[in-house]
């Protein structure tokens, strides 16, 4: 059977070899790695925005639009609740300024019943920062002898904003991922802002278009009795209708029924394609079971009538229903280019944003600037590595050479772990690696000095090495653990580049403890067995 030391040698050798293999792709450009054998690792460390170039976009959520949409929903809920309770009402209106919806009850005797029905629309919004009850999202109160008012509360608005920002982040991520980019950074900034950083993107305008479009899809019937051109001039829209323009140039007016027949919330898939007869790019879509049933009923009841497909309050198509569409699928055509059809399918698949996003800050980092940063980082790393190697060799001779070999393995392990994690390397991350190069040999300095003390006390080479590693181990662990605690706090409290610095420093410290203690100890142990020196070259 193999001795414990042999098992240890095998295990350490496997870790080192795997680390070198997974670090290897980072030494060559992607084109070179594509020609390498398939059994070799090909995954490289992802480069951040400051190294690869790309887009930095700060978006702000339109709070007024979000509140307006919410009040629309509340008004619909009020209408439905009163109808279900068979209560007559008038003057159902909403006010964005006061964040409220008010309604008047026809019969005074129904006021208590209406208040009870509408009070059920208010739902709790969770706990506050102290763990107590934060309140409901709506405050329901009586107004005079016949009125009820529903007002959005501050905790309700905060909860709604948090949900809207989170939904926006998820939607943006799905849209950005569809572009094939690697490691985009999408995070909340403040109360109502979202920061988007996409490394390596070349078409920034397309990215802004994909993110900025709300993607709100609706199907509504066209009012065949209305003269759209005349109404567009007079602006006198019949009750129950609305005037919406197309996305054409010049825009074409349409008078539509304001009732939404089917919405994009019922979509489960959307794919670009080509029309089988004309060959023009189109977008095919598919509804879920509820949407398919509703869409089939609408098309069955309105054969021969036009209906409009509206995206972000613009009519993109208004075909005539030739026959009932019962399969839950359909297609959208509108003189699209291939890229426009692709982008529209991405918008529909990713879902609608809860409100409009506006760019308030935009920065583009050029690839040349990123290349300069990488080159500067390389020069700093080479200088740091070279100076440390020279110092260790001059100060400790052969033992310094062992430490230098462990240092090179340490750097390889850092890149290997970053590649396996799929982490993104930023400029602060390179600074972390350079810092690791400097502190990685601290453990070897402690060990070598301890071994010198043991030699001066008269111990043999074998005993001096064993005692040096054993007695220095506690100090090495203590010093590295305290550093790790500070770095983990950085990772926990920081974001973006600060986290990148914390990740590389954490990986580097853990790797340095392995290489400085385990790898160098094995090197020295086998050198002692092979050379059997009478005195240590320290």
């Amino acid at each position: 059977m193999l001795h414990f030391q042999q098992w240890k040698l095998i295990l350490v050798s496997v870790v080192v070899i795997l680390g070198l293999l997974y670090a290897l792709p980072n030494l060559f450009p992607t084109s070179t790695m594509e020609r390498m054998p398939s059994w070799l690792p090909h995954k490289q460390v992802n480069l951040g925005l400051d190294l690869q170039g790309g887009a930095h976009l700060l978006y702000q959520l339109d709070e007024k639009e979000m509140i307006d949409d919410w009040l629309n929903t509340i008004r619909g809920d009020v209408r439905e609740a009163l109808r279900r309770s068979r209560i007559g009402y008038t003057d159902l209106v909403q006010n964005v300024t006061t964040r409220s919806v008010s309604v008047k009850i026809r019969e005074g005797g129904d006021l208590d019943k209406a208040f009870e029905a509408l009070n059920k629309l208010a739902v709790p919004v969770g706990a506050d920062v102290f763990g107590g009850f934060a309140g409901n999202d709506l405050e329901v109160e009586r107004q005079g002898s016949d009125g009820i008012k529903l007002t959005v509360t501050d905790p309700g608005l905060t909860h709604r904003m948090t949900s809207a920002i989170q939904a926006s982040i998820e939607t943006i991520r799905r849209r950005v991922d569809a572009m094939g980019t690697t490691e985009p950074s999408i995070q909340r900034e403040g109360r109502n802002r979202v920061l988007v950083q996409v490394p390596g993107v070349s078409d920034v305008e397309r990215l802004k278009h994909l993110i900025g479009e709300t993607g709100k899809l609706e199907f509504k019937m066209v009012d065949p009795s209305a003269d759209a051109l005349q109404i567009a001039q007079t602006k006198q829209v019949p009750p129950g209708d609305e005037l919406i323009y197309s996305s054409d140039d010049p825009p074409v007016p349409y008078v539509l029924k304001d009732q939404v027949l089917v919405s994009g919330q019922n979509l489960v898939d959307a794919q670009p394609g080509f029309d089988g007869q004309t060959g023009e790019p189109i977008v095919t879509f598919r509804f879920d079971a509820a949407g398919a049933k509703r869409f089939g009923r609408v098309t069955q009841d309105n054969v021969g009538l036009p209906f409009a497909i509206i995206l972000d309050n613009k009519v993109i198509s208004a075909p005539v229903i030739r026959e009932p569409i019962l399969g839950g699928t359909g297609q959208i055509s509108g003189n699209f280019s291939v890229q426009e059809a692709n982008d529209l399918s991405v918008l529909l698949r990713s879902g609608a944003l809860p409100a409009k996003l506006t760019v308030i800050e935009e920065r583009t980092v050029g690839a040349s600037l990123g290349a300069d940063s990488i080159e500067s980082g390389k020069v700093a790393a080479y200088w740091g590595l070279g100076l440390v190697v020279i110092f260790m060799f001059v100060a400790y001779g052969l033992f310094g050479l062992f430490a230098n070999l462990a240092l090179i393995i340490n750097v390889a392990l850092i890149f290997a772990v970053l590649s396996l994690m799929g982490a993104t390397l930023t400029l602060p991350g390179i600074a972390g690696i350079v810092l690791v190069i400097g502190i990685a040999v601290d453990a070897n300095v402690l060990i070598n000095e301890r071994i010198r003390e043991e030699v001066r006390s008269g111990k043999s080479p074998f005993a001096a090495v064993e005692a040096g590693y054993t007695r220095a181990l506690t100090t090495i662990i203590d010093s590295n653990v305290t550093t790790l605690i500070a770095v983990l706090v950085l990772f926990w409290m920081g974001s973006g580049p600060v986290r990148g610095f914390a990740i590389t420093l954490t990986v580097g410290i853990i790797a340095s403890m392995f290489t400085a203690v385990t790898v160098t100890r094995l090197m020295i142990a086998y050198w002692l067995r092979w050379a059997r020196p009478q005195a240590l070259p320290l």
Side-chain angles (χ1 to χ4, degrees):
M1 294 182 64
L2 291 173
H3 191 268
F4 174 73
Q5 288 294 337
Q6 293 175 310
W7 279 114
K8 194 173 181 181
L9 175 64
I10 292 172
L11 181 61
V12 171
S13 300
V14 168
V15 172
V16 171
I17 292 171
L18 287 176
L20 293 174
L21 282 176
Y22 278 95
L24 184 65
N26 298 288
L27 298 176
F28 303 100
T30 305
S31 57
T32 303
M33 290 307 302
E34 289 175 352
R35 297 193 296 268
M36 293 289 186
S38 58
W39 57 267
L40 280 175
H42 284 67
K43 193 172 183 180
Q44 296 176 312
V45 175
N46 298 313
L47 299 180
L49 185 70
D50 49 0
L51 298 181
Q52 192 177 356
H56 169 107
L57 303 170
L58 183 62
Y59 285 91
Q60 181 168 294
L61 190 74
D62 191 329
E63 188 170 336
K64 183 178 179 182
E65 181 182 330
M66 186 201 72
I67 295 173
D68 190 40
D69 288 344
W70 190 9
L71 294 179
N72 272 326
T73 303
I74 295 172
R75 192 173 64 169
D77 293 341
V78 169
R79 185 187 296 114
E80 182 63 26
L82 295 178
R83 285 178 180 174
R84 196 165 48 243
S85 301
R86 300 181 181 277
I87 299 172
Y89 63 90
T90 59
D91 297 338
L92 178 58
V93 295
Q94 67 187 58
N95 189 320
V96 177
T97 305
T98 60
R99 301 187 331 225
S100 63
V101 173
S102 58
V103 62
K104 290 186 177 181
I105 307 302
R106 283 201 181 99
E107 301 292 337
D110 290 335
L111 187 62
D112 290 339
K113 184 180 178 182
F115 182 81
E116 183 180 350
L118 297 183
N119 201 41
K120 295 178 181 177
L121 298 179
V123 296
V125 293
D128 60 16
V129 293
F130 302 105
F133 178 61
N136 294 326
D137 60 345
L138 296 176
E139 181 183 357
V140 185
E141 56 185 342
R142 291 180 172 88
Q143 276 193 319
S145 60
D146 61 349
I148 298 177
K149 182 180 180 182
L150 296 88
T151 305
V152 173
T153 63
D154 289 337
L157 181 59
T158 301
H159 178 74
R160 191 82 172 192
M161 178 63 72
T162 300
S163 300
I165 290 292
Q166 188 58 42
S168 299
I169 290 174
E170 293 172 359
T171 300
I172 292 171
R173 187 174 300 281
R174 287 193 292 268
R175 294 181 181 182
V176 174
D177 287 345
M179 295 185 66
T181 57
T182 58
E183 289 299 315
S185 172
I186 305 168
Q187 56 191 7
R188 182 175 183 174
E189 290 278 324
R191 170 182 166 83
N192 59 349
R193 295 179 179 181
V194 178
L195 176 62
V196 181
Q197 294 179 320
V198 186
V201 66
S202 55
D203 193 344
V204 179
E205 290 303 318
R206 185 188 174 207
L207 175 68
K208 289 167 58 179
H209 171 75
L210 273 179
I211 295 176
E213 292 290 335
T214 307
K216 186 177 181 181
L217 183 71
E218 297 174 324
F219 294 81
K220 297 181 179 181
M221 294 302 301
V222 177
D223 188 348
S225 63
D227 187 339
L229 291 176
Q230 182 179 356
I231 292 175
Q233 293 175 351
T234 61
K235 304 298 182 183
Q236 295 179 353
V237 183
D241 287 354
E242 59 182 347
L243 180 65
I244 296 181
Y245 290 86
S246 72
S247 56
D248 300 318
D249 189 17
V252 178
Y254 288 88
V255 178
L256 311 177
K257 300 290 186 181
D258 59 6
Q259 181 185 4
V260 179
L261 303 176
V262 190
S263 72
Q265 293 179 347
N266 298 108
L267 279 180
V268 293
D269 192 23
Q271 296 292 337
F274 294 92
D275 189 282
Q277 296 180 346
T278 63
E280 293 182 349
I282 59 171
V283 175
T284 60
F285 59 85
R286 179 165 57 88
F287 289 114
D288 58 17
K293 184 178 179 180
R294 194 178 302 119
F295 191 64
R297 185 171 63 249
V298 168
T299 54
Q300 195 169 24
D301 296 341
N302 296 280
V303 173
L305 297 176
F307 79 110
I309 304 172
I310 304 104
L311 180 69
D312 293 341
N313 212 34
K314 291 183 179 179
V315 176
I316 57 175
S317 182
V320 175
I321 302 173
R322 302 296 181 188
E323 58 185 10
I325 305 173
L326 305 177
T329 61
Q331 68 180 43
I332 303 173
S333 58
N335 297 321
F336 302 128
S337 66
V338 174
Q339 181 171 310
E340 287 172 341
N342 284 330
D343 290 349
L344 178 57
S345 65
V346 169
L347 289 175
L348 299 182
R349 281 199 309 273
S350 62
L353 291 167
K356 183 180 179 182
L357 291 174
T358 305
V359 179
I360 60 174
E361 181 183 330
E362 176 183 351
R363 294 202 305 268
T364 302
V365 181
S368 59
L369 181 60
D372 292 342
S373 299
I374 294 175
E375 191 61 33
S376 300
K378 283 182 178 179
V379 171
Y382 291 153
W383 271 101
L385 184 63
L387 292 174
V388 169
V389 165
I390 292 171
F391 169 79
M392 291 299 293
F393 186 73
V394 171
Y396 301 107
L398 182 60
F399 278 46
L401 178 61
F402 292 146
N404 291 335
L405 291 175
L407 178 60
I408 294 172
I409 295 172
N410 179 26
V411 175
L413 288 176
I414 293 174
F415 280 96
V417 173
L418 292 179
S419 299
L420 289 172
M421 289 173 57
T424 299
L425 182 64
T426 60
L427 196 56
I430 292 180
I433 293 174
V434 175
L435 181 59
V436 165
I437 291 173
I439 66 176
V441 294
D442 286 353
N444 293 108
V445 171
L446 286 172
I447 292 168
N448 291 338
E449 290 299 327
R450 176 65 70 176
I451 293 173
R452 279 180 172 174
E453 291 178 6
E454 299 297 333
V455 170
R456 292 192 194 102
S457 67
K459 289 186 178 180
S460 66
F462 282 90
V465 170
E466 184 66 25
Y469 272 94
T470 302
R471 295 181 180 179
L473 183 60
T474 304
T475 306
I476 293 169
I477 293 175
D478 289 345
S479 63
N480 282 287
V481 166
T482 53
T483 307
L484 278 175
I485 291 172
V487 174
L488 291 176
V489 171
L490 269 181
F491 180 82
W492 177 46
M493 301 293 291
S495 62
V498 175
R499 281 195 165 191
F501 174 79
I503 289 173
T504 54
L505 197 55
T506 301
V507 173
I509 290 172
I510 295 173
S512 69
M513 291 176 67
F514 169 73
T515 55
V517 176
T518 305
V519 175
T520 58
R521 189 170 188 172
L522 278 175
M523 289 180 183
I524 294 173
Y526 278 89
W527 172 77
L528 287 173
R529 288 184 182 181
W530 172 73
R532 296 190 177 276
Q534 297 301 312
L536 294 177
L538 271 173

